[in-house]
Structures are given as structure tokens and as C-alpha cells.
């Protein structure tokens, strides 16, 4: 059967997530993702005309909390886990402007 | 207005552009997306505080940072405020779900923003502008705000920056995104739309509407088409528009840019462009390879939101009078058109004006004071009865227009009564004998001018000399005389 996903799709999605993949990885992931999609196709084959669409597996609606301020995290403790910080902020590489 | 680059000019009402070379007229089509931060105490999906300013990264919790295992829980108050906005805009409130908008950028640490996609909370509304124009609203949905990036190194802009510093205080702050239909034509209508929408947001208590603090942000979708063409042209989305003035400039610039392209036989590329306020131009945002591809899917960590009809109706019933209705009310009371009282309502001074009129104050003078003399801090605290007393003193000739303006300013800052202030400043009504003796003195001093005044049969010359004598009498009485009374006395004497 024709694959539901192409190597180009995998490269595109990897680029959106800024992941750098080798050619071998692209082949591996294309095969693996195709298998996942084939599994979903098993569901598509079922007759579900009389089953209402389901947005969420839990039969819950309207789960909300009151607008009350709670605890915050300690900034120094949080920033201690970051690879780089500056002036109380996370320092990250410039990511726009050039191709990833 | 002429653009030195292309020579095209914006037509009289600002809704079209005319090309000087071809004579073709192009219509400027605008649809706006307005993001407003909702005035909650906490974030949309967590209990971290929603406050503007302060030190970076103080209002953060596991949800704001997207830490593994943290889960979002919806803020009840944010939903209520969003429903207020939707209902104020005449939208239908519908069962809705949240969706993940996936993109890679450090302003969202979990690499997606929780928004609404195919099933938004509010759909199909409209906004009535002061001109009476109706602009369609496609939807108004809930989403979380992002953190703030500050680009450092290089020239400080995105391009050429060495690194970005990220502050997540704003990450997760509740936003309502109000998507307008492409019903606006040109910059002026766009400005009116944003000003009106801001008034509605403030009136219902959903947002403080401060563009300068970023709690109200506008993206403009701009396209052009030959006037009369029913098809929409290719649009560009203009971001980074931080004031009403910038919005107008950005739309004018972008429309000209697109007309230039089309008249040169080129095409407009659909893209995101950034407004560069310092240089007065838009520039291309993301490259083609980074075209938007958000891969929306339903947020599995949040259950559907389906507001109970009783809740919806309670919110609707509790809505305050909206700006369009308030304009009609004030305009009726003042005997003017609704567009003439747009500023009064926008400043929130319509209740004061109505109360002063109800207390017997002359409507025209009330509207005039509110428009011209009350655009100041503290005006909202002015007592309507005290304001009405001032207007009555002015109407009754006890105060001149200039004096009334000064007394009003003093009333706002000091809270004292018009009568006390007028008395202290010596703004007592001049009695006839005092005015007469002032006139006698001035006429004696400028006898030649007086003879010329009496002999003048040319209305222009008479008017000029009236101004001259009024000025002299004002100087002699330290501005206490009523200009109109002086003019009348001069005419009487010349005739007698």
C-alpha cells in the first residue's frame, strides 16, 4: 500500500520543530510514523455512522477554578536550572533571521 | 496626502487611493485582529498573578513555564469576561474547545500556545462605530498570552541579535482575540474601530484597554482592489502596531506598497509584515520556508467548555449600557447627532453630562465644556450638581465663557463650588454702571477710533473696531467684563 506519510513530510515537520535529522533517521521515522498512521486507518475502516463525534475521552465539561492567586515559583531556583541566564531572565540563542 | 515615493494620493475620505499615472482608483480593505488582556487576578490556566510590569520572571509557576507534569485548569473569571465581550458585540456564545497552536519560539516554553481554533467561544457579532457604520465580527475567542523576548546584541532587532532574554511573567495571561471581518475601508475607519472596541472592552470591565502597556494589541490585515471589484485582493498581515497613530500610518503605507506592486505588474505575496514605526514602513516578517504551519489539534489536557445557558443570560443581563447606546442617549438629550458626542462617551463623561443636563444645565454648554475643558484627570469625580451650577452662572451672564473655563478647571482640582471660586477670583458679574464707566474711559481715551466706529458702515470694519474696543474694556476691567455685553453696549451707544 502507498505510505500515508512521505520523507518530505517528516523533513518538514522536523524543520518546524527545529530538529536536525540524518537521512537514516528520516527513513526510520518515516517508516515508524507510517505504521502509526496505518493503525489509525484500522479505526477508519470501522462503520461509525451512528457514533457521535467525541472531542474528549472523559465525559466532563466546564472544569474551572476560581480566579484566586496561588503560589509562584522562586525565580532564583528556577533560573538555576537554565543553561544561561541574564538579568533575571532566560538567555536563549537568537533563533530567527536565519534558516534553522 | 501625497507619498513622495509613488505620488499616489489618498482620496478625500481616506478609503481609496488614486494612481496619478493611470488614474485608477484602488479601494483599501482592512480587517483587524485585536488582542486584549483580560482583567483577571490570575492567568488563564494557572493561579500565577496576572499583573503588568514588575521584575522579570516573578509571576511564574509550573504551568507558565510548561514544566513536565503541570496541567492547565481554566480560569472561571476569564471565561466570564470573554462572554461579556462576546455578548456586548452581539455574538452567539457557543460550546467550545481549546486547541494547541504549535510553533517553535522561546516565548512559549511548552512550544505551543493554548488557543481556540475551529470551535471558538463567541461567533458572529458586530460593532457599531460612532459614524453609524456597522463592522462585522467573525469570532472572539480565548487564548493565553506569550512571554516577552528581548533581543540583545547586534542592533537590538530580531535580525542580527546575538541572543534573546525571556521573561515569562506574561506567559499564560488570558487574552481575548477579536477577529473582525474585512469590512473596514482605509486608515480612519480602522482607527475608529479600534477606539470603539476599546471603549466596549473598558465599559464591560473586560480590559483596561491600554495600548501603550500592550494590554490591547492590533494586527491589521490589509489588501487593495480596484474600486467596485467584488473580489478581495491578496492580504498582508501587519504586526507590531502599538498605537492608533501607528495603525493609520501602517495601513496607508501598506496600501501604497501593494498598489505600487500591482501597477508594476507584480503580485502581492500573502505574508506577515512588521511595522517599523521609526522608519515609517512595513517589512517582510518570516521567510517562505518558515511559513505558518501551526498543526492545530484539540488540547487533550482541557475538557470542553459549554457555558450553562443560565450563566450566559445572567452575564448578558448584567452588561452595562454600551458606548453606542450611551451615544444615542447623550445625543438625544443634547439635541445633536451621535457622532458629535463620540469623544464624550469615549472619555466616560457621558453620565456626568446627562446628570448636569438633568439638573437644568444648558445642553450645548455642557457638551462644549465636556469636549473641550474636561479632558483632564479628575473630571470623572466632578459633581454633576456643581457642574450644573457653573453652567447656570455662565448662562445667566454671571461668568463669561473664559471665566467659566477657568472656574471649571479650578473646580476639578480643588473640588470647591463654582460660586466660591468665582467670588475668590473676583469674577462677580459687573453691574451696568461699572461697565458704563469703563466704556466712558475707553471712549474718551480713543476718541478718534470711536468716531471711526460710529461712522463705519462697512460690517467688516465695524467688527474689527468692536474687537479693538472690547479688548480695551477687557484690559481696563482685568478680563471681568462679558465680551458679548461689551459688544452690545458699543452698538447701543453708537446708535444712540
Amino acid at each position: 500500500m502507498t505510505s500515508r506519510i512521505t520523507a518530505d513530510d517528516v523533513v518538514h515537520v522536523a524543520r518546524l520543530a527545529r530538529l536536525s535529522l540524518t537521512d537514516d533517521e528520516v527513513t526510520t521515522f518515516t517508516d515508524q510514523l507510517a505504521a502509526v498512521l496505518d493503525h489509525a486507518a484500522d479505526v477508519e475502516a470501522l462503520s461509525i455512522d451512528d457514533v457521535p463525534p467525541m472531542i474528549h475521552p472523559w465525559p466532563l465539561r466546564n472544569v474551572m477554578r476560581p480566579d484566586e492567586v496561588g503560589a509562584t515559583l522562586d525565580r532564583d531556583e528556577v533560573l538555576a536550572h537554565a543553561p544561561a541566564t541574564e538579568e533575571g531572565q532566560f538567555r536563549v540563542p537568537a533563533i530567527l533571521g536565519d534558516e534553522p | 496626502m501625497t507619498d513622495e515615493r509613488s505620488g499616489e494620493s489618498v482620496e478625500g475620505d481616506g478609503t481609496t487611493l488614486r494612481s496619478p499615472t493611470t488614474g485608477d482608483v484602488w479601494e483599501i480593505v482592512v480587517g483587524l485582529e485585536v488582542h486584549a488582556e483580560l482583567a483577571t487576578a490570575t492567568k488563564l490556566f494557572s493561579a500565577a498573578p496576572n499583573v503588568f510590569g514588575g521584575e522579570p520572571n516573578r509571576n511564574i509557576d509550573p504551568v507558565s513555564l510548561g514544566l513536565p507534569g503541570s496541567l492547565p485548569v481554566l480560569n472561571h473569571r476569564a471565561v466570564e469576561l470573554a462572554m461579556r465581550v462576546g455578548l456586548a458585540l452581539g455574538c452567539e456564545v457557543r460550546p467550545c474547545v481549546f486547541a494547541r497552536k504549535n510553533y517553535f519560539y522561546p516565548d512559549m516554553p511548552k512550544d505551543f500556545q493554548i488557543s481556540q481554533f475551529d470551535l471558538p467561544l463567541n461567533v458572529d457579532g458586530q460593532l457599531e462605530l460612532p459614524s453609524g457604520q456597522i463592522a462585522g465580527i467573525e469570532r472572539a475567542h480565548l487564548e493565553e498570552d506569550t512571554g516577552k523576548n528581548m533581543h540583545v546584541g547586534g542592533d537590538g532587532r530580531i535580525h542580527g541579535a546575538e541572543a534573546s532574554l525571556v521573561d515569562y511573567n506574561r506567559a499564560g495571561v488570558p487574552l481575548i482575540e477579536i477577529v473582525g471581518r474585512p469590512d473596514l475601508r482605509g486608515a480612519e475607519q480602522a482607527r475608529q474601530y479600534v477606539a470603539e472596541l476599546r471603549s466596549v472592552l473598558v465599559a464591560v470591565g473586560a480590559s483596561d484597554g491600554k495600548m501603550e502597556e500592550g494590554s490591547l494589541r492590533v494586527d491589521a490585515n490589509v489588501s487593495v482592489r480596484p474600486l467596485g471589484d467584488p473580489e478581495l485582493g491578496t492580504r498582508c498581515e501587519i504586526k507590531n502596531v502599538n498605537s492608533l497613530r501607528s495603525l493609520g500610518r501602517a495601513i496607508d503605507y501598506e496600501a501604497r506598497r501593494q498598489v505600487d506592486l500591482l501597477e508594476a505588474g507584480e503580485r502581492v505575496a500573502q505574508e506577515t509584515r512588521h511595522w517599523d514605526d521609526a522608519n515609517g514602513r512595513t517589512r517582510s516578517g518570516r521567510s517562505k520556508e518558515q511559513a505558518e504551519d501551526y498543526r492545530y489539534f484539540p488540547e487533550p489536557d482541557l475538557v470542553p467548555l459549554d457555558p450553562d445557558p443560565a450563566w450566559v443570560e445572567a452575564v448578558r443581563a448584567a452588561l452595562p449600557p454600551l458606548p453606542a447606546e450611551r451615544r444615542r442617549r447623550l445625543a438625544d438629550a443634547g439635541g445633536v447627532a451621535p457622532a458629535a458626542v463620540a469623544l464624550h462617551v469615549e472619555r466616560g463623561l457621558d453620565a456626568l453630562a446627562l446628570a448636569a443636563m438633568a439638573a437644568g444645565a444648558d445642553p450645548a454648554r455642557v457638551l462644549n465644556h465636556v469636549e473641550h475643558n474636561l479632558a483632564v484627570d479628575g473630571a470623572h469625580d466632578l459633581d454633576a450638581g456643581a457642574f450644573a451650577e457653573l453652567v447656570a452662572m455662565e448662562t445667566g451672564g454671571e461668568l463669561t465663557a473664559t471665566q467659566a473655563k477657568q472656574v471649571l478647571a479650578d473646580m476639578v482640582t480643588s473640588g470647591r463650588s463654582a460660586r466660591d471660586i468665582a467670588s475668590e477670583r473676583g469674577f462677580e458679574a459687573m453691574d451696568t454702571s461699572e461697565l458704563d464707566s469703563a466704556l466712558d474711559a475707553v471712549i474718551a481715551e480713543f476718541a478718534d477710533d470711536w468716531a471711526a466706529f460710529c461712522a463705519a458702515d462697512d460690517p467688516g470694519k465695524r467688527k474689527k473696531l468692536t474687537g479693538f474696543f472690547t479688548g480695551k474694556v477687557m484690559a481696563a476691567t482685568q478680563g471681568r467684563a462679558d465680551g458679548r455685553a461689551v459688544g452690545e453696549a458699543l452698538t447701543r451707544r453708537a446708535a444712540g
Side-chain angles (χ1 to χ4, degrees):
Chain A
M1 64 185 289
T2 55
S3 178
R4 292 169 178 274
I5 188 166
T6 66
D8 284 348
D9 293 330
V10 173
V11 169
H12 173 66
V13 173
R15 179 187 297 233
L16 290 172
R18 304 302 188 273
L19 294 174
S20 163
L21 302 183
T22 65
D23 289 348
D24 285 349
E25 284 171 326
V26 169
T27 306
T28 304
F29 294 146
T30 304
D31 289 346
Q32 289 180 349
L33 288 167
V36 171
L37 292 172
D38 283 344
H39 179 64
D42 293 345
V43 177
E44 252 177 31
L46 300 175
S47 171
I48 53 167
D49 290 346
D50 52 353
V51 179
M54 182 178 66
I55 290 167
H56 202 277
W58 297 102
L60 287 173
R61 290 269 189 285
N62 304 326
V63 176
M64 285 177 261
R65 62 179 176 82
D67 185 28
E68 289 162 10
V69 175
T72 53
L73 291 170
D74 180 79
R75 184 175 79 177
D76 294 338
E77 198 179 326
V78 167
L79 291 179
H81 295 278
T85 65
E86 190 174 323
E87 295 168 2
Q89 298 174 76
F90 297 86
R91 185 184 165 98
V92 301
I95 61 151
L96 276 185
D98 297 305
E99 286 299 295
Chain B
M1 182 161 48
T2 303
D3 185 273
E4 68 267 18
R5 186 170 47 89
S6 64
E8 287 139 7
S9 58
V10 175
E11 294 285 277
D13 64 356
T15 64
T16 54
L17 276 175
R18 181 185 293 275
S19 164
T21 45
T22 63
D24 290 346
V25 177
W26 297 82
E27 187 172 39
I28 307 167
V29 178
V30 182
L32 298 178
E33 294 173 17
V34 173
H35 289 81
E37 289 182 351
L38 294 171
T40 56
T42 66
K43 295 187 177 181
L44 184 54
F45 299 116
S46 73
N50 167 17
V51 289
F52 176 79
E55 286 185 36
N57 292 311
R58 290 294 185 194
N59 305 318
I60 53 175
D61 61 5
V63 172
S64 311
L65 293 175
L67 297 186
S70 63
L71 288 170
V73 187
L74 184 59
N75 182 335
H76 184 277
R77 174 81 176 162
V79 175
E80 177 155 330
L81 293 180
M83 291 200 307
R84 279 194 204 170
V85 175
L87 293 169
L89 295 172
C91 291
E92 182 191 349
V93 174
R94 304 239 310 236
C96 59
V97 297
F98 291 90
R100 288 188 181 179
K101 178 181 180 178
N102 299 278
Y103 64 93
F104 186 89
Y105 201 70
D107 62 4
M108 265 319 208
K110 51 190 188 298
D111 283 347
F112 59 83
Q113 177 190 26
I114 303 178
S115 180
Q116 296 192 297
F117 184 50
D118 52 343
L119 294 170
L121 177 64
N122 304 294
V123 297
D124 281 335
Q126 58 182 40
L127 183 68
E128 181 182 335
L129 308 188
S131 62
Q133 181 186 357
I134 304 287
I137 306 286
E138 186 181 317
R139 55 191 281 162
H141 66 256
L142 272 167
E143 66 182 27
E144 58 179 340
D145 208 344
T146 63
K148 274 185 191 166
N149 289 335
M150 189 174 72
H151 305 291
V152 293
D155 59 5
R157 299 198 329 219
I158 294 175
H159 296 270
E162 289 164 7
S164 295
L165 304 185
V166 198
D167 168 13
Y168 291 116
N169 281 346
R170 201 180 65 181
V173 161
L175 290 176
I176 186 161
E177 177 176 345
I178 302 149
V179 182
R181 298 191 189 280
D183 290 348
L184 304 170
R185 301 290 174 266
E188 179 51 29
Q189 288 185 14
R191 280 193 294 260
Q192 288 174 9
Y193 173 96
V194 174
E196 182 65 15
L197 191 52
R198 180 168 59 187
S199 293
V200 170
L201 290 164
V202 172
V204 302
S207 173
D208 63 19
K210 290 180 181 167
M211 281 187 97
E212 66 279 12
E213 289 185 3
S215 56
L216 190 79
R217 305 196 286 273
V218 180
D219 299 332
N221 288 299
V222 179
S223 64
V224 296
R225 63 181 171 188
L227 185 61
D229 190 336
E231 298 291 318
L232 289 171
T234 304
R235 67 187 155 86
C236 290
E237 182 178 7
I238 317 300
K239 289 186 175 291
N240 193 36
V241 185
N242 297 323
S243 68
L244 289 184
R245 185 168 168 274
S246 299
L247 175 65
R249 291 174 69 209
I251 290 170
D252 283 341
Y253 174 88
E254 180 60 20
R256 287 199 196 91
R257 187 189 72 86
Q258 293 183 11
V259 169
D260 278 356
L261 282 173
L262 295 169
E263 295 205 326
E266 295 175 50
R267 291 172 55 183
V268 174
Q270 182 167 340
E271 61 177 352
T272 298
R273 298 180 66 84
H274 291 267
W275 172 243
D276 177 351
D277 203 52
N279 294 307
R281 56 188 294 265
T282 62
R283 55 190 165 75
S284 188
R286 298 169 191 178
S287 63
K288 220 177 250 171
E289 289 76 11
Q290 293 165 311
E292 291 168 3
D293 182 352
Y294 293 129
R295 295 152 291 147
Y296 281 97
F297 63 86
E299 165 59 80
D301 291 339
L302 289 164
V303 300
L305 172 64
D306 183 2
D308 185 71
W311 186 21
V312 176
E313 288 317 307
V315 170
R316 190 198 306 275
L319 284 180
L322 298 169
E325 172 58 25
R326 286 159 54 192
R327 280 194 298 271
R328 270 191 287 277
R329 213 178 284 177
L330 184 57
D332 284 350
V336 295
V341 296
L343 265 179
H344 307 65
V345 171
E346 198 181 314
R347 291 189 191 136
L349 293 170
D350 48 317
L352 172 70
L354 281 171
M357 290 179 197
D362 173 54
R365 285 182 203 260
V366 167
L367 292 180
N368 185 57
H369 278 305
V370 170
E371 181 168 356
H372 299 290
N373 305 329
L374 284 177
V376 291
D377 288 343
H380 290 88
D381 300 325
L382 187 62
D383 178 71
F387 182 28
E389 182 185 29
L390 168 88
V391 174
M393 288 170 71
E394 188 185 356
T395 312
E398 289 178 67
L399 291 174
T400 65
T402 310
Q403 290 171 340
K405 182 177 172 174
Q406 293 170 17
V407 171
L408 185 57
D410 197 335
M411 289 169 70
V412 170
T413 49
S414 72
R416 294 185 303 153
S417 77
R419 205 159 286 286
D420 285 353
I421 296 165
S423 162
E424 182 185 288
R425 294 188 175 216
F427 289 168
E428 302 295 338
M430 290 186 65
D431 58 33
T432 320
S433 64
E434 197 182 346
L435 179 59
D436 279 343
S437 55
L439 269 174
D440 289 342
V442 170
I443 286 171
E445 189 179 348
F446 300 97
D448 293 348
D449 298 290
W450 177 246
F453 179 85
C454 295
D457 44 12
D458 167 13
K461 190 172 183 193
R462 173 69 73 104
K463 193 176 170 196
K464 197 174 159 194
L465 283 163
T466 302
F468 170 76
F469 277 107
T470 306
K472 294 297 174 196
V473 173
M474 285 294 182
T477 60
Q478 287 86 44
R480 287 162 52 229
D482 180 1
R484 195 185 301 168
V486 174
E488 286 165 4
L490 287 168
T491 310
R492 244 191 341 265
R493 286 194 178 208

